[in-house]
Amino acid sequence: MASSKPSCSAGRPVAADGRADAVPAPAGVLLPPDAVYEILLRLPAKELCRLRAVCRPWRALLSDRAFADAHAARHQEPLVVAGYATHTSGGALYDVLDLSGRVVKRARGAAVAGAGRTENEWVVSARLDLVCAARGAGVSCALLSPAAARARALPQGLAEEHAAHEREISHHAAMVALGQVAATGERKVLRVLHLFPGTARQLYEITTLDGGDGGGGRSRWRRIKDPACPVASGTWAVVDGAVFFFSSELVHGQDAMPDRVASFDLATEEWAPTIRGPLSSSSLGDDGAAAAAGHPDDHMGWGELSLADMNGCLVVTHRTVASSMDLWFLMDVEKASWVRKYRMQLSISYRHAEHTVRPLLVLNDGRIVLVHIGNRGSLKIYDPRTSTSTDVADIGPCVAVGLYNGSVLSLANGF
């Protein structure tokens, strides 16, 4: 009976295009290299990582970037990035998890350039397959690549026009958003810095990655024009090359809630006029009077509002004291048209400081991936058909979340 043990002596160098000229067939089995290649492409990433230990030719193939990209194209399940503050997570900076809750990559602290092992680091955001982390008591930030296991420091200091405010920065309140201009592919980072003590003053700065700021090939922070009203801190989203925030603007006779949305265009580097939010739009008639009974006058009674990018659409989430959460999708920016597509019941007690639920995406089968951010954070999947949520994994004291769409094989190989 022929042995099914893979032959480790028949391998040839991996072809430049990643095809399996070099894939050894199991001993005694007459399979063409392309057939073995196709079989391996169909296996889950977890099993392929184990097969790397079989022999050198298989390790060479399964560690090849072209194969990893081909495998990722066949297995397009997104991964979740859960970011932490190192002083509360035992030194972990972020985890990359699959939707079964398995950690496929863990990064430790001191990833930001210049950070010492005893200096606090925390994740600010995760987007475009990069993790943005800040360190210490300053505004120093870096973009980390989970696949490449390397860091790229963002420019140090402030924009030249803001240099006089360096000692006034409330460091831990900075909002840092990474986005991409669709027409050019340029990646830009917008940050909002808050001044203290107790002022509503904000500084708005932007930098273009890869030396696009006119600074002799080196990126630098540039001042951008302030919006008409300051933006609200704590939540933002990036969709189609625009960064969205809640605005502090409250238009009398139009806004029943502080849900008005401001947006910044990364291509033109200009602020667009604010638009009325979904709750105000749905609760007010054309004459500005309340169109539905039972709406409390006190805004705090409305619960928690946050912004999210879900499947390429801007979403406002509204979570109430009763643990109900509505997802409002922006359908038309010009008309400020919103549609409530989901109303979910979540078995989480409501507390602003400890419990924030962020929706990440809608899966092909209609289920919704959620992350509960807090001291006892968790990864959840909600099924609208049964109105139930399943706890997939405990993720601990998470402070930021995002999606990673790269290859699992690349993460495991440390590309």
Side-chain angles (χ1 to χ4, degrees):
M1 181 175 179
S3 170
S4 61
K5 180 180 179 181
S7 169
C8 297
S9 60
R12 300 186 298 277
V14 177
D17 64 356
R19 298 298 295 175
D21 287 359
V23 184
V29 178
L30 299 178
L31 288 177
D34 280 354
V36 178
Y37 183 90
E38 288 297 325
I39 292 171
L40 293 175
L41 277 181
R42 296 171 186 270
L43 295 179
K46 182 178 180 180
E47 302 305 323
L48 292 179
C49 291
R50 294 175 178 175
L51 290 178
R52 282 177 173 158
V54 170
C55 59
R56 289 183 179 179
W58 278 33
R59 180 173 181 81
L61 172 69
L62 301 179
S63 299
D64 182 73
R65 183 182 294 275
F67 181 86
D69 291 343
H71 186 270
R74 297 277 189 97
H75 305 263
Q76 295 184 337
E77 182 179 274
L79 302 171
V80 175
V81 179
Y84 310 104
T86 54
H87 72 288
T88 61
S89 63
L93 187 59
Y94 65 84
D95 287 333
V96 182
L97 307 94
D98 63 21
L99 294 188
S100 71
R102 182 177 66 95
V103 176
V104 298
K105 180 84 171 186
R106 168 163 289 178
R108 293 289 177 181
V112 181
R117 284 291 172 185
T118 60
E119 193 169 26
N120 178 35
E121 295 176 273
W122 66 97
V123 172
V124 179
S125 62
R127 196 170 183 277
L128 297 182
D129 293 346
L130 294 170
V131 177
C132 183
R135 70 174 175 88
V139 292
S140 297
C141 293
L143 296 175
L144 316 175
S145 170
R150 62 174 178 264
R152 171 180 179 155
L154 293 177
Q156 296 293 305
L158 304 177
E160 184 178 351
E161 299 88 342
H162 294 155
H165 297 288
E166 186 172 0
R167 295 182 179 275
E168 304 173 54
I169 300 296
S170 177
H171 304 298
H172 294 276
M175 296 187 289
V176 183
L178 170 65
Q180 190 167 29
V181 179
T184 64
E186 284 184 308
R187 295 176 300 170
K188 297 184 179 182
V189 181
L190 170 69
R191 74 176 178 185
V192 182
L193 304 170
H194 302 270
L195 301 184
F196 72 93
T199 70
R201 178 75 190 280
Q202 295 171 328
L203 306 181
Y204 302 87
E205 300 183 345
I206 196 169
T207 186
T208 303
L209 301 184
D210 306 316
D213 293 311
R218 297 182 61 185
S219 296
R220 60 184 178 86
W221 291 109
R222 296 177 282 109
R223 176 189 175 186
I224 58 176
K225 184 179 178 180
D226 293 0
C229 295
V231 300
S233 62
T235 180
W236 70 94
V238 185
V239 182
D240 290 336
V243 186
F244 293 88
F245 305 86
F246 285 122
S247 174
S248 63
E249 181 181 8
L250 195 66
V251 179
H252 180 70
Q254 292 188 29
D255 299 335
M257 277 288 294
D259 62 346
R260 183 164 286 268
V261 176
S263 63
F264 179 82
D265 190 313
L266 291 172
T268 63
E269 298 190 2
E270 294 180 350
W271 293 93
T274 60
I275 62 173
R276 191 196 300 182
L279 299 176
S280 294
S281 298
S282 65
S283 65
L284 297 180
D286 293 338
D287 61 354
H295 287 169
D297 292 329
D298 182 2
H299 290 166
M300 292 301 293
W302 287 78
E304 177 189 73
L305 293 169
S306 63
L307 293 166
D309 167 17
M310 292 187 68
N311 302 77
C313 187
L314 179 68
V315 175
V316 167
T317 70
H318 171 221
R319 187 160 163 259
T320 68
V321 176
S323 293
S324 169
M325 188 165 79
D326 294 339
L327 302 186
W328 292 86
F329 285 68
L330 180 61
M331 309 306 293
D332 189 316
V333 176
E334 298 296 329
K335 297 179 180 179
S337 173
W338 301 85
V339 173
R340 187 181 67 192
K341 292 189 176 182
Y342 302 95
R343 166 162 284 181
M344 299 181 287
Q345 294 296 327
L346 302 172
S347 57
I348 301 174
S349 61
Y350 178 84
R351 292 181 186 175
H352 270 292
E354 296 182 9
H355 300 295
T356 297
V357 179
R358 296 284 172 84
L360 290 180
L361 78 160
V362 180
L363 299 174
N364 291 335
D365 60 6
R367 293 178 302 156
I368 301 171
V369 179
L370 309 164
V371 173
H372 173 205
I373 297 177
N375 294 332
R376 291 181 291 180
S378 61
L379 176 65
K380 301 174 178 291
I381 295 182
Y382 181 86
D383 191 338
R385 295 167 297 188
T386 60
S387 299
T388 58
S389 63
T390 302
D391 286 339
V392 176
D394 294 329
I395 56 177
C398 181
V399 297
V401 295
L403 292 176
Y404 181 82
N405 294 297
S407 168
V408 179
L409 290 176
S410 294
L411 290 178
N413 196 47
F415 286 169

